């Protein structure tokens, strides 16, 4: 079973986005991965990925 969630916010030139993907594998192993991105005018784009595995 797979699931996806997306979110974004925007105000002026500042924005942020996130995308979470969750997979449930055989044996009830859960593996969510979240990717985020944000930007503030005058600074560099920031991106990160977080991944975990739980039973």
């Amino acid at each position: 079973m797979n699931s996806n969630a997306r979110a974004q916010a925007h105000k002026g030139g500042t924005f942020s986005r996130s995308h979470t993907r969750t997979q449930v594998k055989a044996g009830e192993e859960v593996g969510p991965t979240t990717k985020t991105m944000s930007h503030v005018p005058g600074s560099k784009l920031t991106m990160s990925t977080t991944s975990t595995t739980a039973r």
Side-chain angles (χ1 to χ4, degrees):
M1 178 166 57
N2 295 323
S3 176
N4 286 292
R6 293 180 186 258
Q8 72 177 30
H10 185 269
K11 183 174 183 180
T14 303
F15 75 87
S16 63
R17 293 180 183 158
S18 69
H19 176 212
T20 300
R21 181 176 182 212
T22 304
Q23 292 181 308
V24 179
K25 298 177 183 176
E28 300 297 320
E29 185 175 296
V30 180
T33 301
T34 301
K35 294 181 180 182
T36 59
M37 173 176 37
S38 62
H39 181 260
V40 176
S43 67
K44 206 172 182 181
L45 183 68
T46 304
M47 297 191 302
S48 68
T49 300
T50 305
S51 184
T52 58
T53 302
R55 288 192 139 216

